């Protein structure tokens, strides 16, 4: 799993450095990389682990949305817990 996550990180860094693509194109590519990483990780997990992974991803997504749109806790809310 570590190799999959490292690959995602490398691909994301490359996209961040790419100034030839529009911001929207880079965002779309980043979403594609994230989806591919998620699928590769899910393929390694058993059904119980997949459920926990989905829960962790949902919390991560919610945390990201709260950061983008503001949350009742303001900036006091830290990143999602890593399990």
């Amino acid at each position: 799993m570590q190799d999959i996550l490292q690959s995602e990180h490398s691909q994301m860094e490359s996209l961040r450095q790419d100034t030839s693509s529009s911001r929207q194109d880079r965002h779309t590519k980043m979403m594609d990389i994230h989806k591919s990483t998620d699928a590769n990780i899910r393929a390694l997990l058993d059904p119980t682990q997949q459920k926990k992974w989905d829960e962790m991803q949902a919390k991560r997504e919610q945390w990201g949305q709260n950061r983008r749109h503001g949350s009742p806790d303001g900036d006091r809310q830290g990143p999602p817990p890593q399990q």
Side-chain angles (χ1 to χ4, degrees):
M1 191 181 314
Q2 186 67 31
D3 290 341
I4 295 169
L5 293 173
Q6 184 59 44
S7 175
E8 178 188 44
H9 178 75
S10 297
Q11 291 176 59
M12 293 290 195
E13 282 300 313
S14 294
L15 275 175
R16 286 184 190 101
Q17 302 298 322
D18 179 11
T19 58
S20 65
S21 298
S22 72
R23 181 177 176 167
Q24 182 62 38
D25 286 344
R26 286 192 311 265
H27 177 74
T28 299
K29 289 176 185 176
M30 285 182 179
M31 295 303 294
D32 289 343
I33 292 167
H34 183 70
K35 287 178 186 177
S36 175
T37 298
D38 184 64
N40 288 335
I41 289 173
R42 285 181 59 79
L44 298 174
L45 305 176
D46 65 36
T48 302
Q49 292 169 326
Q50 288 177 359
K51 182 178 179 189
K52 184 161 184 152
W53 175 256
D54 291 342
E55 291 168 0
M56 289 169 52
Q57 294 300 85
K59 286 179 185 177
R60 180 176 173 249
E61 185 176 316
Q62 184 179 23
W63 178 80
Q65 288 176 355
N66 287 342
R67 278 187 56 114
R68 283 190 296 275
H69 301 296
S71 68
D73 295 335
D75 291 331
R76 293 179 296 175
Q77 185 178 19
Q82 296 296 314
Q83 298 178 5

